[in-house]
Amino acid sequence: MTTKKIVLYVTGGIAAYKVPLLARDLIKKGYQVRVALTQNAQKYVTVDTMQVLTKQDVYTDFTLQKVAYVPHVHLAQWADLAVVVPATANIIAKMAQGLADDFVSTTLLATPGPILVVPAMNDHMWENPATQRNIAQLKADGKRVLEPAHGFLAEGYAAKGRMPEPIEISQAIDESFQSQDLQEKRIVITAGGTQEDLDPVRYLTNKSSGKMGYALAQIAQARGAHVTLISGPTNLTPPTGVDFQPVRTAQEMQVKVNQVYAQADVVIMAAAVADYLPVQTASQKIKKNQDVWHLELKKNVDILQGLGQAKTHQFLVGFAAETQDLIANGQKKLAKKNLDLLVANDVSRSDIGFNSDQNEVTFLASQQAPRKINKAQKHQIAQAILDEIKARQGW
Ligand code: PMT
């Protein structure tokens, strides 16, 4: 249980209505939480709500009676982490300029510790060069900025600018306190499904969303590792700071993995690589002339098996996506691919595995009894996988 101190600075965007959920989640995790609201934020979330949830006075101006010291300086120094959530284009501009014209902006200017900025705004405001300049300035000043999500905006259409969900913000806050225990380690992670072309407009693929691999990349990066993320096509934004290598086919993925293999300390293959590909790829769109289309497929490259054969010093982690006999099938893959660790997951379930935010896995390693990791967010599963690798490597 953490005892870290967080101040949530809430500014006037509609996404502020989700901040009580974030505060509750942080309190449940053991964080001490204080809240400051701008005038405009109070249109979307009330002082009373935040006061009841945090059981603390809520800061709205410089006149907090109960505090016998200068409130903005006290709050600025109290925080282990300041989180601006949601951060409007206006507060981002003020922070970039060092403006201090209300309690929130003044306290942020007086904050000596780390600041996490969680932008949420209309897509055009986000894309505006002025906002992008301000974001670049904040990053240059050492602030951490969470990328807005792509999704349904208050305006009634889908675009980039949406605030990440409270649970994702809470995870990002956890990461801010992450120990740098994987520093200097070079970790290669694959993610997503591959695409194998039938013709210029059609391909074979699978249900992988990339969430498991991206969670691993994000956590490994937050723990200080140098991360190369080699990913098939997904809808996800690569975590900031990773060396991102987009690919489409299994062969492209193999080339990229092999390029970085010699320097890698660890390779984690979370990607769902197509086992088969069409014998022929048509150069023109195949016409709809036949009632039944017999596809001829051939075995694809097995990237992981190749890595297992060429292994020198690397710690090799594979996943097994199974719909039955999870442990027995997983054990076979562990041995056949010469792996140090195999993470088996049941992909017949809709609440875990493919495309879910959660997973439940079993660790398999030679001469070891299987170890089950209970169902949890993929970020927590990623932590457990990295902890297991660290323990086995004696780091
Ligand atoms: O992306 P998500 O939606 O978050 O879903 C996560 C996941 C279910 C894709 C992930 O948890 C997972 O199980 N990834 C492995 C999927 C898979 O291809 O499993 P497999 O049992 O078919 O392959 C065994 C291992 O060999 C895997 O590490 C795979 O990356 C690798 N492999 C497989 C085939 C192939 N031709 N080359 C490979 O390298």
Side-chain angles (χ1 to χ4, degrees):
M1 199 78 154
T2 177
T3 53
K4 297 284 186 200
K5 302 191 273 292
I6 312 275
V7 180
L8 301 178
Y9 292 94
V10 188
T11 67
I14 178 66
Y17 82 93
K18 291 185 179 172
V19 171
L21 294 174
L22 172 64
R24 239 167 62 102
D25 187 59
L26 294 173
I27 291 163
K28 269 204 264 175
K29 286 180 176 171
Y31 288 106
Q32 295 180 54
V33 178
R34 303 263 164 98
V35 177
L37 303 175
T38 62
Q39 286 299 314
N40 282 332
Q42 292 170 57
K43 293 179 193 161
Y44 304 108
V45 61
T46 69
V47 170
D48 284 0
T49 309
M50 299 317 299
Q51 210 151 288
V52 169
L53 283 175
T54 61
K55 302 189 176 43
Q56 297 290 332
D57 287 325
V58 169
Y59 296 75
T60 54
D61 56 35
F62 296 90
T63 60
L64 202 61
Q65 293 305 314
K66 288 183 194 155
V67 180
Y69 23 71
V70 185
H72 69 277
V73 175
H74 170 71
L75 193 63
Q77 289 179 351
W78 178 83
D80 293 312
L81 178 70
V83 185
V84 191
V85 57
T88 57
N90 186 50
I91 190 71
I92 289 168
K94 284 202 229 177
M95 289 172 74
Q97 292 300 312
L99 292 182
D101 63 355
D102 64 1
F103 181 80
V104 163
S105 54
T106 306
T107 313
L108 286 168
L109 193 62
T111 296
I115 300 182
L116 173 67
V117 181
V118 188
M121 64 194 76
N122 167 269
D123 54 325
H124 299 299
M125 291 171 81
W126 172 250
E127 280 157 17
N128 190 300
T131 304
Q132 289 304 312
R133 269 198 309 277
N134 292 332
I135 290 287
Q137 185 61 54
L138 292 188
K139 288 183 181 170
D141 292 345
K143 317 285 189 269
R144 185 173 166 211
V145 180
L146 274 198
E147 201 66 17
H150 188 283
F152 196 72
L153 301 177
E155 289 79 353
Y157 58 87
K160 184 169 179 178
R162 196 164 168 267
M163 190 172 86
E165 291 304 318
I167 193 155
E168 295 169 69
I169 302 169
S170 174
Q171 276 158 3
I173 291 171
D174 293 342
E175 281 167 24
S176 301
F177 297 111
Q178 194 83 68
S179 73
Q180 298 290 294
D181 57 349
L182 298 178
Q183 228 162 21
E184 321 254 302
K185 306 300 176 210
R186 301 186 81 84
I187 305 188
V188 176
I189 296 165
T190 66
T194 60
Q195 298 179 350
E196 311 297 336
D197 289 337
L198 290 162
D199 68 15
V201 298
R202 304 183 182 97
Y203 52 77
L204 300 176
T205 190
N206 56 63
K207 293 182 179 173
S208 174
S209 63
K211 287 179 185 174
M212 190 66 248
Y214 280 56
L216 278 158
Q218 191 176 345
I219 300 293
Q221 204 273 337
R223 288 171 69 162
H226 177 281
V227 176
T228 303
L229 174 62
I230 301 170
S231 173
T234 73
N235 290 325
L236 306 175
T237 306
T240 314
V242 308
D243 171 17
F244 180 64
Q245 305 281 342
V247 296
R248 229 167 57 74
T249 65
Q251 283 187 9
E252 284 172 23
M253 185 172 277
Q254 186 180 46
V255 169
K256 291 285 182 196
V257 173
N258 287 346
Q259 277 170 2
V260 288
Y261 192 42
Q263 277 74 46
D265 296 303
V266 177
V267 178
I268 310 177
M269 287 283 303
V273 184
D275 287 320
Y276 288 88
L277 78 162
V279 169
Q280 279 185 332
T281 302
S283 58
Q284 302 298 328
K285 184 182 171 195
I286 298 168
K287 290 289 171 206
K288 203 172 55 177
N289 295 333
Q290 319 156 66
D291 288 341
V292 179
W293 177 6
H294 291 285
L295 270 181
E296 211 184 348
L297 304 177
K298 62 181 177 186
K299 252 200 181 149
N300 214 339
V301 290
D302 191 318
I303 304 171
L304 190 53
Q305 194 159 335
L307 298 179
Q309 283 159 2
K311 185 159 73 173
T312 52
H313 61 283
Q314 299 85 350
F315 189 93
L316 211 50
V317 184
F319 273 73
E322 304 296 340
T323 54
Q324 56 186 350
D325 300 331
L326 184 71
I327 306 297
N329 287 330
Q331 297 281 19
K332 282 185 205 151
K333 285 179 185 169
L334 175 75
K336 186 172 174 205
K337 302 197 183 198
N338 190 23
L339 306 179
D340 300 289
L341 178 67
L342 185 121
V343 181
N345 49 192
D346 181 346
V347 289
S348 66
R349 284 169 56 180
S350 60
D351 60 327
I352 59 166
F354 283 124
N355 201 20
S356 162
D357 289 336
Q358 299 191 311
N359 210 353
E360 179 182 292
V361 300
T362 303
F363 293 159
L364 303 176
S366 72
Q367 320 287 346
Q368 296 274 320
R371 185 158 86 88
K372 187 177 167 197
I373 306 295
N374 288 335
K375 184 171 154 183
Q377 293 292 318
K378 281 184 174 164
H379 285 80
Q380 288 165 286
I381 299 288
Q383 292 279 19
I385 293 170
L386 293 166
D387 286 346
E388 181 74 15
I389 296 168
K390 188 182 154 194
R392 285 178 173 276
Q393 290 290 71
W395 290 339

